[in-house]
Amino acid sequence: MSWVTGVHLAAAVLAVVTCLGLLTRRERLQGSTRFLFWATVGTVPWTLSVTLVKAEGIHPWHQMLWFPSIAFSGGAMLLWAGCFARYDWRPSNGLVAMWLGVPALMLALRVLWGLPSRDPLFVANTVYSFGVLVVMTVWVSQRANDPVPLVRTIARGFLATSIVILIAEAFRLNVTDIVASLVLALLAATTLVASDRLRVRPSPDVLIDDLGALLFVFDHDQRLVDLNAPARLFYTLRGSDPPERGSLGAELLGTDLGTVDAILVELRAGTDLVRFSGYVQRLPSHGTPSRGWVCLLRRSSLAAAEGSPRSSRLAVMNRLPAYDPDTRVLSARSFDQALASAAAYPRAGSIPATALVLEAEDQTALAQAARAVSASWEHRLETVAVGRCGELRLALVARDVSQEALGAWAEQVLDETRVRLVTRSGTVEHAPALVDAALGEIDAGRRRPRPT
């Protein structure tokens, strides 16, 4: 056996060891690690095919698995690159179909067409593999300036490796399988040792918008008393300490709180200067702190803040949850907005949901039912929204809760002598329609004549 054959055989052994290492890790294979494993699995027949060719020459059936395994491994690496480069990324059905379908089609053509298929498959595999390599490199290079040194090293090393592969293939050196085995082994070892450091973190701006408004509370002297978690996180994610208690509002926000209603400010955190718009509200004498100030801010553009103060204030308030003062749940408008937002979630069509709509006989019964529903459901992760949907009506939409379970809870907790209950089940995508259907049943029941 020549030393060239031995090197390719060693690459095959390395690929097998890498597969076993990923299989024996404590955590279940998921996310990018799953695609890394399948890319390594595809590398095993790839390297063995090259080894046989180097040892015995091109046999009529040595290339049976060669091209399909290259396509399979390259497709899996492309999906790994997507997970590595983008936060909360999941491959589309089209990408998964391409990953599995292209190698299956190559294998079928090789078996059914026979030896004449080798040259066309060689051309098709070359075009496909280089296309996948280019896209993969573009995705991975997006993290070349990541704050984590290890991630920067991987991204830049991947870019350099892709260039080496292109040059080597241009000279027909046939060493790509060796490089692939080494790269996958290094990535697998890094994943086993420091998987948490490789995860993509959400953009600070996106995370702040997801968490909600920044809230600053000042006392009557306009000195900072407290700030909410999104405000603290705004500074922390930018490597800066949150402002200390006692900081002057004029220094923090650049204006006298007593002279403004709507406000446009630029907050500095670390090296970032971020524009926010919001409004300032004076607290009553019995508030906490007494006669203090509350400043509520959301990210804004300059164009949105150039309108009238009333328009700016309404624009900010329309993006915040508005709670009904009588029941302490979402108002009808905010409830509709919450359902529409949940229905627009990309995977809402695959998440089961149940809607519970109740109608009370009077305001007292409605308030009691609202307290019971809020106490049991507002803090739960399954809850999509709880809000008003009519003068004496209240609705709850929960995900991953069966219609039977929600109905049983309502019968046990709510006073059915004073409220009427209707449930509907479907998916989060159809949550608004579920509530409408339940309301329609209630209306139909009210129109139905009572038996005498």
Side-chain angles (χ1 to χ4, degrees):
M1 182 175 63
S2 66
W3 68 271
V4 176
T5 304
V7 172
H8 287 279
L9 182 60
V13 173
L14 179 61
V16 173
V17 172
T18 304
C19 288
L20 295 176
L22 290 172
L23 275 178
T24 54
R25 69 195 300 257
R26 293 182 179 179
E27 293 83 2
R28 188 165 60 99
L29 292 176
Q30 56 184 357
S32 62
T33 309
R34 177 180 48 185
F35 301 122
L36 189 66
F37 169 75
W38 286 115
T40 310
V41 169
T43 308
V44 174
W46 177 10
T47 50
L48 288 176
S49 297
V50 179
T51 302
L52 290 173
V53 169
K54 295 297 182 182
E56 304 176 10
I58 298 181
H59 187 274
W61 296 107
H62 278 170
Q63 292 176 315
M64 173 72 75
L65 296 178
W66 193 347
F67 296 150
S69 61
I70 293 175
F72 180 85
S73 184
M77 278 300 296
L78 178 66
L79 302 187
W80 170 87
C83 294
F84 176 81
R86 302 176 184 180
Y87 172 70
D88 198 27
W89 184 85
R90 287 177 174 80
S92 64
N93 293 334
L95 271 178
V96 175
M98 182 194 73
W99 168 40
L100 301 176
V102 170
L105 180 61
M106 287 183 177
L107 182 59
L109 287 175
R110 182 66 180 85
V111 173
L112 299 176
W113 194 357
L115 294 180
S117 67
R118 288 191 301 180
D119 291 340
L121 285 179
F122 174 79
V123 175
N125 179 71
T126 301
V127 173
Y128 175 78
S129 298
F130 282 128
V132 166
L133 180 63
V134 170
V135 176
M136 188 192 318
T137 305
V138 170
W139 284 358
V140 174
S141 63
Q142 292 176 4
R143 299 189 69 185
N145 295 318
D146 196 273
V148 181
L150 179 61
V151 174
R152 288 201 304 271
T153 302
I154 291 176
R156 295 172 184 178
F158 201 94
L159 179 60
T161 303
S162 299
I163 296 174
V164 170
I165 290 176
L166 291 174
I167 295 174
E169 288 299 320
F171 288 95
R172 304 185 69 177
L173 298 180
N174 202 11
V175 295
T176 307
D177 61 312
I178 301 174
V179 176
S181 295
L182 290 172
V183 169
L184 289 170
L186 290 174
L187 290 176
T190 306
T191 301
L192 293 174
V193 175
S195 60
D196 186 65
R197 293 163 63 188
L198 301 183
R199 293 194 180 100
V200 188
R201 301 304 191 250
S203 166
D205 296 339
V206 173
L207 187 57
I208 289 299
D209 282 339
D210 286 346
L211 288 175
L214 276 61
L215 189 68
F216 298 86
V217 181
F218 301 88
D219 61 16
H220 65 283
D221 293 325
Q222 299 188 22
R223 292 188 178 275
L224 183 65
V225 175
D226 199 3
L227 62 163
N228 66 348
R232 296 180 189 277
L233 200 57
F234 166 77
Y235 290 96
T236 302
L237 288 175
R238 290 167 170 79
S240 178
D241 293 328
E244 297 180 355
R245 292 190 179 187
S247 301
L248 286 174
E251 296 177 357
L252 183 62
L253 304 178
T255 185
D256 182 359
L257 301 181
T259 62
V260 294
D261 181 21
I263 185 173
L264 174 67
V265 299
E266 290 183 333
L267 297 183
R268 180 174 296 278
T271 59
D272 291 346
L273 191 64
V274 184
R275 178 179 287 111
F276 288 85
S277 64
Y279 66 89
V280 177
Q281 182 70 49
R282 188 74 187 264
L283 294 175
S285 57
H286 59 274
T288 305
S290 176
R291 304 296 296 168
W293 306 83
V294 172
C295 179
L296 188 146
L297 302 174
R298 292 296 298 259
R299 278 181 56 83
S300 176
S301 63
L302 183 61
E306 287 177 345
S308 66
R310 175 177 172 79
S311 299
S312 299
R313 179 169 180 146
L314 288 176
V316 175
M317 293 183 68
N318 283 338
R319 296 179 63 190
L320 299 173
Y323 287 87
D324 177 67
D326 297 326
T327 58
R328 304 296 183 183
V329 298
L330 289 176
S331 66
R333 175 183 59 83
S334 297
F335 180 68
D336 290 340
Q337 290 177 346
L339 294 187
S341 177
Y345 183 67
R347 293 182 295 278
S350 61
I351 303 174
T354 300
L356 168 69
V357 176
L358 63 87
E359 183 180 51
E361 63 178 15
D362 53 34
Q363 289 290 344
T364 302
L366 180 66
Q368 291 175 351
R371 284 195 297 269
V373 173
S374 299
S376 299
W377 290 95
E378 271 198 331
H379 63 283
R380 294 182 59 167
L381 297 177
E382 295 90 345
T383 302
V384 176
V386 181
R388 294 287 296 269
C389 54
E391 183 179 358
L392 294 175
R393 294 173 178 178
L394 188 72
L396 159 68
V397 178
R399 52 173 287 179
D400 297 321
V401 178
S402 67
Q403 185 174 358
E404 294 76 15
L406 191 57
W409 170 86
E411 293 175 0
Q412 182 179 0
V413 175
L414 301 177
D415 185 1
E416 291 191 75
T417 62
R418 305 189 65 188
V419 297
R420 184 180 178 191
L421 306 172
V422 176
T423 58
R424 283 288 184 273
S425 63
T427 64
V428 173
E429 183 180 16
H430 301 105
L434 297 179
V435 174
D436 290 341
L439 290 172
E441 182 173 337
I442 289 179
D443 290 336
R446 294 180 62 182
R447 292 192 297 268
R448 188 181 302 124
R450 295 184 178 182
T452 56

